Amino acid sequence: MLSKKLLPVLLVGATLGFNAAQADIKIGVVTSSSGPIALVGIPQKNSVPLLPKRIAGEKVTYIHLDDSSDPSTAVKAFKKLINDDKVDALIGPSGTASAMGVIQFAAESGTPMLAPTGSAAVVLPMTEQKKWVFKTTQNDDLIASALVEQMQKNGVKTLGLIGTADPYGENWAKVMGGLTAKAGIKITATESFQRQDTSITGQALKVLMANPDAVLIAAPGSSSVLPQTTLKEQGFRGAFYQTHGAALDPFLRLGGKATEGTILAASMMLVLDEVPESASKDIAADYMDSYARIYGNHPATFGANVYDAGLLLQNAIPVALKTAKPGTKEFRAALRDALENTKELPGTQGVYNMTPEDHSGFDERGRVMITVKDGEWKLLK
């Protein structure tokens, strides 16, 4: 019997109007459309109706579940989708901690998993289990290297780091430690906090006492705001850098004037009108317009990570169909192989080139430098 905690999320799938029983190809989707990281999960859930409904002539059905931003609920959702619904592929979860907790179940069942999460920890270092995971966001090192390069240009010599006490923040601390050392930038303070914390004054004061030239905040969604506003209130006058986890309009609204001048490396979607023409720009524009027609507003970049998962599946499924029928172990294995062989596929975030060693596949085309000016995202020039 399903737990009471999971029953409400099943209703979400029903209300989206997807009928798993009649599907030729079944895709399970797990998002955090409620709970602490709902700002990430809601645009992901809302993007499900925009995914391909037919691929290579076959009907595709999506079964959506909400994990309430809870890793244990994400595990239950994955088990249901794998064991009961017998899906051919999985998209999700939204959070890195949840994603890390479900990889083993995707791998044990031989079900490809497309993870719309921020941390590279879901695909690196590559293992036998992680070979079933494909990540639809830029890896930390790709974003971090751009930030460190910008720090060098701006003369940053000392850096404070505040990150979430989870795989997202931990991996960012690890990546930044290596890159800053090579760049001659000294990390003078490293602090962590829980996503649900309502006060981090203690951590902010410790960073303030270290007097760094700049602070990098490594936190996804709304959790990226509190460290910055707190440091501002405590009198920090240095520069603020953020990861792609802060790449959503609510960051500007919730942070207000404290966000002015923030620098981040992220998806072109935030500054689409300012970037050069490209296939990815066209795809991103189509996605944003389609989303706005349904919901009346443009999506956060996190929604595009689910949309890109659909593009990857649309590209790989026709190849897998040449080997086996949906609903079989052979089809899932062929689908995994086809995803791993994705080459020069443009998405909303950049261009995907997967290899056995790299299951994110982005290069420099998957990032742009962005700042906040007059309360709006602007291309950093």
Side-chain angles (χ1 to χ4, degrees):
M1 182 178 292
L2 291 173
S3 70
K4 292 181 179 179
K5 192 167 187 180
L6 188 57
L7 286 175
V9 303
L10 299 180
L11 298 178
V12 177
T15 58
L16 287 174
F18 302 126
N19 186 351
Q22 297 178 0
D24 293 317
I25 300 170
K26 298 186 203 177
I27 310 298
V29 186
V30 177
T31 67
S32 299
S33 44
S34 63
I37 58 170
L39 285 179
V40 174
I42 289 173
Q44 293 182 341
K45 179 198 75 172
N46 288 348
S47 296
V48 175
L50 300 177
L51 300 180
K53 295 176 176 59
R54 299 193 75 86
I55 298 177
E58 301 290 340
K59 181 181 176 182
V60 184
T61 291
Y62 300 91
I63 306 167
H64 173 261
L65 302 177
D66 173 20
D67 66 16
S68 303
S69 303
D70 177 54
S72 63
T73 306
V75 168
K76 294 173 184 175
F78 258 58
K79 286 183 175 180
K80 178 197 177 297
L81 291 167
I82 292 168
N83 299 325
D84 298 345
D85 297 304
K86 303 190 182 305
V87 296
D88 296 296
L90 295 151
I91 300 174
S94 303
T96 299
S98 294
M100 294 297 291
V102 299
I103 289 173
Q104 68 177 97
F105 304 106
E108 289 169 0
S109 64
T111 308
M113 168 181 163
L114 294 100
T117 56
S119 175
V122 297
V123 291
L124 293 174
M126 184 55 67
T127 65
E128 276 300 302
Q129 287 192 342
K130 291 179 183 178
K131 76 178 186 179
W132 289 93
V133 185
F134 298 86
K135 183 169 172 283
T136 59
T137 66
Q138 304 91 333
N139 276 347
D140 302 340
D141 58 347
L142 180 67
I143 300 297
S145 62
L147 291 175
V148 171
E149 289 172 13
Q150 189 64 42
M151 290 176 190
Q152 288 181 294
K153 290 179 183 178
N154 292 347
V156 173
K157 299 297 183 183
T158 55
L159 180 70
L161 178 63
I162 301 182
T164 45
D166 59 22
Y168 186 88
E170 291 162 3
N171 198 64
W172 262 93
K174 179 181 177 182
V175 170
M176 287 298 294
L179 290 175
T180 53
K182 293 178 182 178
I185 298 172
K186 183 180 180 180
I187 296 179
T188 58
T190 301
E191 295 293 327
S192 63
F193 68 101
Q194 300 295 331
R195 295 188 188 194
Q196 66 270 25
D197 285 349
T198 57
S199 174
I200 59 166
T201 301
Q203 295 96 316
L205 287 173
K206 290 178 182 178
V207 171
L208 198 61
M209 289 175 63
N211 195 32
D213 297 328
V215 170
L216 171 68
I217 298 166
S222 58
S223 61
S224 62
V225 177
L226 185 60
Q228 187 153 334
T229 55
T230 302
L231 279 166
K232 275 287 190 180
E233 290 169 359
Q234 296 296 330
F236 182 69
R237 295 292 178 263
F240 284 101
Y241 292 79
Q242 288 271 0
T243 72
H244 50 327
L248 70 170
D249 287 342
F251 171 78
L252 303 177
R253 185 179 70 251
L254 295 171
K257 293 181 179 179
T259 66
E260 192 70 14
T262 301
I263 294 172
L264 69 159
S267 161
M268 71 177 75
M269 279 179 55
L270 291 181
V271 289
L272 202 60
D273 292 341
E274 299 184 67
V275 299
E277 296 300 320
S278 68
S280 289
K281 180 177 179 178
D282 292 341
I283 292 169
D286 287 344
Y287 163 62
M288 293 173 72
D289 289 344
S290 298
Y291 189 102
R293 280 195 293 271
I294 297 175
Y295 303 105
N297 54 65
H298 284 137
T301 58
F302 306 116
N305 301 330
V306 165
Y307 187 79
D308 276 9
L311 296 178
L312 285 163
L313 289 170
Q314 189 175 43
N315 184 68
I317 284 174
V319 178
L321 285 170
K322 296 177 182 178
T323 299
K325 294 181 179 180
T328 65
K329 181 178 181 179
E330 292 76 16
F331 177 76
R332 297 193 301 274
L335 181 56
R336 192 216 73 88
D337 292 346
L339 287 166
E340 190 173 77
N341 283 285
T342 301
K343 303 299 178 190
E344 286 296 303
L345 178 69
T348 61
Q349 312 284 302
V351 179
Y352 292 92
N353 281 288
M354 304 289 188
T355 69
E357 298 78 26
D358 183 1
H359 277 198
S360 174
F362 283 111
D363 55 24
E364 287 75 9
R365 291 173 291 180
R367 70 185 188 196
V368 294
M369 294 305 300
I370 299 169
T371 189
V372 179
K373 185 177 181 180
D374 298 326
E376 296 182 352
W377 301 114
K378 295 292 182 182
L379 189 67
L380 185 63
K381 300 176 181 178

